[in-house]
Amino acid sequence: MRLLVFPLAFMANTFAMMLVMIGLSLFGKPVLAADFGLIHGATVALFYSFSGNARSLILAESGTIGAAGILRLRLLLLLPLSVLAFMLCIGVVDGGWLFVLLLVVRRAAEWLAEVFLSEQELHHQGRAALRFLLIQGCLGLALLLALLDGGVLAIPMTLLWGLSPLLGCVSLGLLGRALCNPMPLLPSIRLLLPHFGSTAVIGVSVYVFRLFILLVAGKQVAGDLFSAFALGGILGAVFSQALGPTMVRHEQRSAGPGRLMRLFNLMLVVVLLAGLGLVALVWGLPQVLDWTHKGQLFWLAVGCSLAGGVVMVLAQRIRLRIIQDDVGGDVFGSDILANILLVASIPFVFYGLGVNALALLYLLGALLSWMFYASERHGLLAQRYTGWFSQRRLLLLIALAIFLPLFFQLQEGIFRDPAHEFSSGGVLALLPIPLSVLACYLGMVLLGGYSQARLALLSLFFVFIGMLLTSLLLGPAGEGQHKLILLIQYILPMFALVLGQQFGGREDAQALVARAALLVLLAIVPLQLLATLLAGTPILSPSLRLFSIYQHLQYVPLLFVAAYVLALFGLWGRAGLDGWLQGVTLAMGAYVVLSWSLLAGLLLALGLLLFLLQQGVRDARRLVLPLLAFAGALLALWYVRALLQGEGSAPLPASADLTLRVLEGRGGYLERWTFYIDGITGSWTSALLGHARSPQRELYPSALNYYLDFAYNFGLLGLLPLVLLALYSLVAVLRRWRTFWAATPALGLALVVIFMLTLDSAFKVGLRQPYSGVIMFFLWGLLLAQIARPTARPEAFNEKGV
């Protein structure tokens, strides 16, 4: 049991301020306890964000970076982080600047002490850890007594307690190695960056998680939920911050799980049964708990959190094993994806399932963490690609689900509204949700290997942090809920960027995407054209009997033309597919005309022209493609002309493609762009941070430009990472244009992505819509994966079949 002295010492260092705060609250000093809590929250958020999984990295002994390198970096960051923490706290507590300074010194000393304690554990210095534990216990008790007395000893005791972490564990040898560390600073920072990002996103997401619950549910419900999550999830917190690193290290270096691990597993079973039993009691006999004066929601959240704590322990085991691996792994991708998805799930849970469903949030977060940690290295099904269910078929299914325009509603099931214009009226339960959203998140977990999508993850991280920062700096309390929901609307489609880069790293990725695109076009376009003829309308019908296509005129036509370009460039010349591509070309000509989409028509023309230029005109089968498209367009025009002559002039519905709007007049492009540009350039705060409130939806539902829309709401600061990624993609394609020109599928992909990021995004906001945004970001991720392959042979894309 000597093994426990190290996690106990670490707990005494990490939770000391919280224990003093609890003591002050219990013994009649609630105001002082509140000041402790506020300072503790601010300092933990800052210092934890830059902790970088240090303890696990030191115990891993991977050789990439040790305690000396981590301590050296912390010494450099100590002063700026302390000053920032002091500035954040000085205006929100009543204890005075000296009180704030001493508590910031305490947290800074704890931050440095983590490294010394980890070094002691690495070298099995149990006596030193025990001495530290006794010093912290005695000084903590003495401080509590001095603060309760309120006499002259309060300040000196606070100073002594604040410096005590270093007085109790500092090692001059480690300090000397840190100051004389030969390893350059920049390589150390580069190695730790994924770990900094991992802890930073956790710290930020915890704050946003609590804020979002407070905004949607109110203070009373939020207070009960926070207490229930803390009570039920204490096992997961203690394991992840104190017990876990020690137990995982001991488990990896011993022959078996050991007696301690078996006892701990038994405790997990007991806690899980207790949680399930409490949930059953709350649902079956809620009156039994009336004596507690706590509502059903509180105890339901406690029961679910107890079960979630067990799942979180299992997730943290995987996380710590990855970090402590000899090869120096990191969990940057898993932490980003799990935490942002948890925050994004709050409005769907609250508005879709009701307030009682908020009790499931801690359990949901634990499950998300487990799924992403378990799939971090190779995906959940990495070893199960056998028989019919091969990896190639799995990839094909994911791509099919991404392109298939199937929508469902939480309240109504599969979307079947036959109207050309549909509005959910702001009701989340009626909002059509595309299958591609589920395919995106499920596909990420199944494929795993998040380190392959590092660029996409970094972009997602910085966009999220930038949007969140502008929202918190600018958004007033009354608009906070709206801003966070708008943030989620923008950020959710961006996850497909990660999936695209994961997908693009697999063999024959672009050929599989091309085949999936062709299959979707063959299944949907003829049916939609037939439904349009049967309906006798001059524009595409949204209904296919079995289901309807949401936003079938605003965004889907361009996406289907993009799918056609990918199929043409990726599959032409493959045995048995040229005939199908010719038939689809004829149908796409008619489809574009009936969709009344100028952008879709332009992309179709550019795709055919570029294909002929790249392939050459010696083959008559290629020359027939533009003729087929033109013939399809003429047939559609003849149909529309005959229909309009027979019925008289029939105005197009407002939902027809927005590129048909005139430049002048109310609701046109010039008016929208002028309004949004004036709003962005009105002041430096509006340019950098955006606006606290969106324009009135009745007057300006969008900017008709994705970048203006983004900048108006979240400022140039939030938009900057996305713009930099777009410029990087464009420059990378131009610098390697010979490689792209030689690889037909890569050329078609580059054309589609560049068109979407420039022309389409200049006239629409498709990147923020669920269906169109997922497809666009997915294809962008594929392009990033292609750019990241400097040794790929261009001809390989044309030689291999699917």
Side-chain angles (χ1 to χ4, degrees):
M1 302 302 289
R2 289 184 304 172
L3 194 66
L4 291 177
V5 70
F6 298 109
L8 288 175
F10 197 84
M11 290 172 65
N13 181 63
T14 304
F15 301 130
M17 195 179 296
M18 290 181 61
L19 293 175
V20 174
M21 177 187 66
I22 293 173
L24 291 172
S25 178
L26 292 176
F27 292 106
K29 294 280 187 177
V31 176
L32 189 56
D35 286 345
F36 259 78
L38 289 172
I39 297 173
H40 177 262
T43 54
V44 166
L46 277 173
F47 286 102
Y48 181 79
S49 295
F50 289 91
S51 64
N53 303 313
R55 186 179 174 204
S56 293
L57 289 175
I58 294 171
L59 296 181
E61 299 181 275
S62 64
T64 54
I65 186 167
I70 293 174
L71 180 59
R72 180 191 182 196
L73 191 57
R74 289 198 176 190
L75 289 172
L76 292 173
L77 293 174
L78 185 66
L79 182 60
L81 289 180
S82 299
V83 171
L84 184 56
F86 179 80
M87 294 174 61
L88 288 176
C89 299
I90 192 64
V92 297
V93 299
D94 301 323
W97 68 268
L98 182 58
F99 175 72
V100 174
L101 178 62
L102 293 177
L103 292 189
V104 171
V105 168
R106 167 70 194 197
R107 187 66 192 100
E110 290 175 355
W111 196 51
L112 295 179
E114 291 177 4
V115 183
F116 292 109
L117 288 173
S118 300
E119 180 80 356
Q120 289 177 359
E121 183 175 358
L122 181 65
H123 297 294
H124 307 287
Q125 299 172 359
R127 290 186 178 181
L130 181 60
R131 184 169 58 249
F132 179 88
L133 177 61
L134 294 176
I135 291 174
Q136 292 305 307
C138 295
L139 288 180
L141 179 60
L143 174 67
L144 179 60
L145 294 175
L147 292 175
L148 292 175
D149 179 67
V152 295
L153 292 177
I155 294 298
M157 279 303 305
T158 305
L159 176 60
L160 179 60
W161 175 75
L163 295 174
S164 63
L166 294 180
L167 299 176
C169 70
V170 67
S171 168
L172 295 179
L174 176 58
L175 186 61
R177 296 202 313 273
L179 296 177
C180 303
N181 188 4
M183 185 175 184
L185 183 62
L186 287 180
S188 300
I189 296 176
R190 192 180 301 113
L191 288 172
L192 286 173
L193 270 180
H195 300 284
F196 285 155
S198 175
T199 51
V201 76
I202 292 175
V204 170
S205 297
V206 167
Y207 173 73
V208 178
F209 176 78
R210 295 181 179 181
L211 176 63
F212 213 157
I213 292 177
L214 178 67
L215 291 173
V216 300
K219 287 187 177 181
Q220 182 66 39
V221 174
D224 283 343
L225 287 174
F226 295 161
S227 301
F229 293 157
L231 182 61
I234 189 170
L235 179 63
V238 170
F239 182 85
S240 62
Q241 298 187 43
L243 288 174
T246 299
M247 295 180 68
V248 169
R249 181 173 185 266
H250 177 71
E251 184 182 13
Q252 289 181 336
R253 283 159 176 76
S254 60
R259 180 181 177 186
L260 178 61
M261 187 63 69
R262 287 194 293 269
L263 290 175
F264 189 76
N265 291 338
L266 179 61
M267 185 177 67
L268 291 181
V269 175
V270 173
V271 173
L272 177 61
L273 293 176
L276 297 177
L278 183 57
V279 171
L281 183 64
V282 171
W283 281 113
L285 298 170
Q287 64 275 10
V288 175
L289 299 172
D290 288 345
W291 61 274
T292 63
H293 303 291
K294 286 293 186 180
Q296 183 182 17
L297 176 62
F298 174 83
W299 289 112
L300 187 62
V302 171
C304 293
S305 299
L306 286 172
V310 175
V311 179
M312 184 60 77
V313 168
L314 300 178
Q316 290 297 325
R317 278 184 180 175
I318 302 173
R319 182 181 193 271
L320 293 171
R321 286 169 184 162
I322 295 173
I323 297 173
Q324 294 189 24
D325 196 349
D326 292 336
V327 298
D330 66 78
V331 288
F332 175 62
S334 296
D335 283 328
I336 285 181
L337 299 173
N339 284 278
I340 296 181
L341 277 179
L342 177 61
V343 171
S345 68
I346 295 175
F348 290 96
V349 171
F350 179 75
Y351 294 112
L353 302 177
V355 65
N356 284 338
L358 293 177
L360 297 169
L361 285 177
Y362 185 85
L363 176 59
L364 176 61
L367 290 171
L368 286 173
S369 297
W370 178 85
M371 284 193 301
F372 283 107
Y373 292 148
S375 61
E376 171 71 40
R377 290 288 175 85
H378 306 292
L380 286 183
L381 300 178
Q383 306 301 324
R384 299 175 178 84
Y385 298 130
T386 58
W388 187 89
F389 193 63
S390 64
Q391 180 178 358
R392 294 162 67 87
R393 288 194 173 94
L394 174 64
L395 294 173
L396 183 61
L397 287 175
I398 293 174
L400 279 171
I402 291 289
F403 281 104
L404 188 65
L406 179 64
F407 299 80
F408 62 91
Q409 299 165 293
L410 295 177
Q411 183 173 311
E412 303 291 338
I414 294 178
F415 179 65
R416 290 191 176 92
D417 194 288
H420 284 284
E421 298 180 31
F422 174 82
S423 174
S424 62
V427 180
L428 183 63
L430 296 178
L431 180 67
I433 301 174
L435 178 65
S436 57
V437 171
L438 300 179
C440 173
Y441 304 138
L442 182 60
M444 286 190 299
V445 174
L446 292 176
L447 297 183
Y450 305 118
S451 60
Q452 301 176 9
R454 183 76 75 193
L455 181 58
L457 287 167
L458 286 171
S459 304
L460 180 65
F461 173 75
F462 284 114
V463 169
F464 176 70
I465 294 298
M467 295 171 72
L468 182 61
L469 182 62
T470 59
S471 301
L472 297 179
L473 290 176
L474 202 60
E479 294 294 325
Q481 176 182 341
H482 169 75
K483 289 287 287 186
L484 288 178
I485 291 177
L486 190 63
L487 184 153
I488 290 172
Q489 183 181 356
Y490 274 96
I491 205 73
L492 281 181
M494 294 183 190
F495 281 85
L497 191 69
V498 179
L499 176 63
Q501 199 166 0
Q502 289 175 282
F503 197 105
R506 307 299 171 116
E507 186 180 359
D508 285 342
Q510 293 189 50
L512 290 167
V513 170
R515 174 160 290 206
L518 178 61
L519 290 175
V520 170
L521 294 178
L522 290 172
I524 301 299
V525 172
L527 286 178
Q528 195 169 9
L529 293 176
L530 179 61
T532 304
L533 292 175
L534 295 176
T537 60
I539 59 174
L540 284 174
S541 170
S543 176
L544 301 181
R545 305 298 182 187
L546 295 178
F547 60 90
S548 295
I549 301 177
Y550 180 56
Q551 296 176 331
H552 69 297
L553 295 177
Q554 295 99 317
Y555 302 106
V556 177
L558 181 79
L559 299 175
F560 273 21
V561 172
Y564 167 75
V565 172
L566 293 175
L568 178 62
F569 277 74
L571 300 177
W572 183 263
R574 307 247 173 142
L577 294 179
D578 288 359
W580 292 105
L581 288 170
Q582 290 172 348
V584 169
T585 304
L586 179 66
M588 291 304 299
Y591 178 87
V592 167
V593 169
L594 292 176
S595 69
W596 295 86
S597 173
L598 295 179
L599 286 176
L602 178 59
L603 179 59
L604 179 63
L606 286 176
L608 289 171
L609 177 62
L610 188 62
F611 180 75
L612 291 179
L613 291 176
Q614 194 262 354
Q615 291 284 316
V617 297
R618 290 173 293 178
D619 191 343
R621 293 180 305 162
R622 301 190 189 107
L623 288 176
V624 80
L625 291 173
L627 299 177
L628 287 172
F630 186 67
L634 286 180
L635 288 174
L637 287 172
W638 174 81
Y639 164 76
V640 171
R641 181 174 179 273
L643 196 63
L644 294 180
Q645 284 182 345
E647 299 180 359
S649 178
L652 292 174
S655 60
D657 193 301
L658 296 178
T659 53
L660 288 177
R661 291 181 182 272
V662 292
L663 292 180
E664 304 291 344
R666 189 158 187 81
Y669 281 104
L670 284 183
E671 182 188 355
R672 296 275 187 99
W673 290 350
T674 301
F675 173 82
Y676 278 84
I677 291 174
D678 290 343
I680 294 170
T681 59
S683 64
W684 71 267
T685 55
S686 60
L688 286 179
L689 305 178
H691 291 76
R693 294 178 179 148
S694 299
Q696 295 184 21
R697 186 174 179 83
E698 296 78 13
L699 298 177
Y700 301 102
S702 75
L704 299 179
N705 181 298
Y706 178 78
Y707 304 107
L708 291 180
D709 201 83
F710 199 122
Y712 185 94
N713 288 296
F714 295 99
L716 297 176
L717 183 62
L719 180 62
L720 181 61
L722 207 61
V723 171
L724 291 177
L725 183 64
L727 291 176
Y728 163 78
S729 304
L730 180 60
V731 171
V733 171
L734 292 177
R735 291 181 62 182
R736 301 177 56 197
W737 70 271
R738 292 181 183 274
T739 302
F740 277 88
W741 186 263
T744 307
L747 181 63
L749 177 64
L751 170 64
V752 166
V753 173
I754 292 175
F755 189 93
M756 288 177 171
L757 294 180
T758 54
L759 283 177
D760 185 68
S761 294
F763 291 93
K764 295 186 201 171
V765 290
L767 285 171
R768 63 176 280 191
Q769 302 299 322
Y771 178 65
S772 57
V774 165
I775 294 179
M776 291 179 179
F777 279 110
F778 174 72
L779 297 178
W780 193 357
L782 282 176
L783 182 63
L784 292 178
Q786 174 62 29
I787 291 171
R789 276 196 229 166
T791 59
R793 293 186 303 116
E795 61 271 14
F797 296 105
N798 298 319
E799 294 172 356
K800 293 184 179 181
V802 180

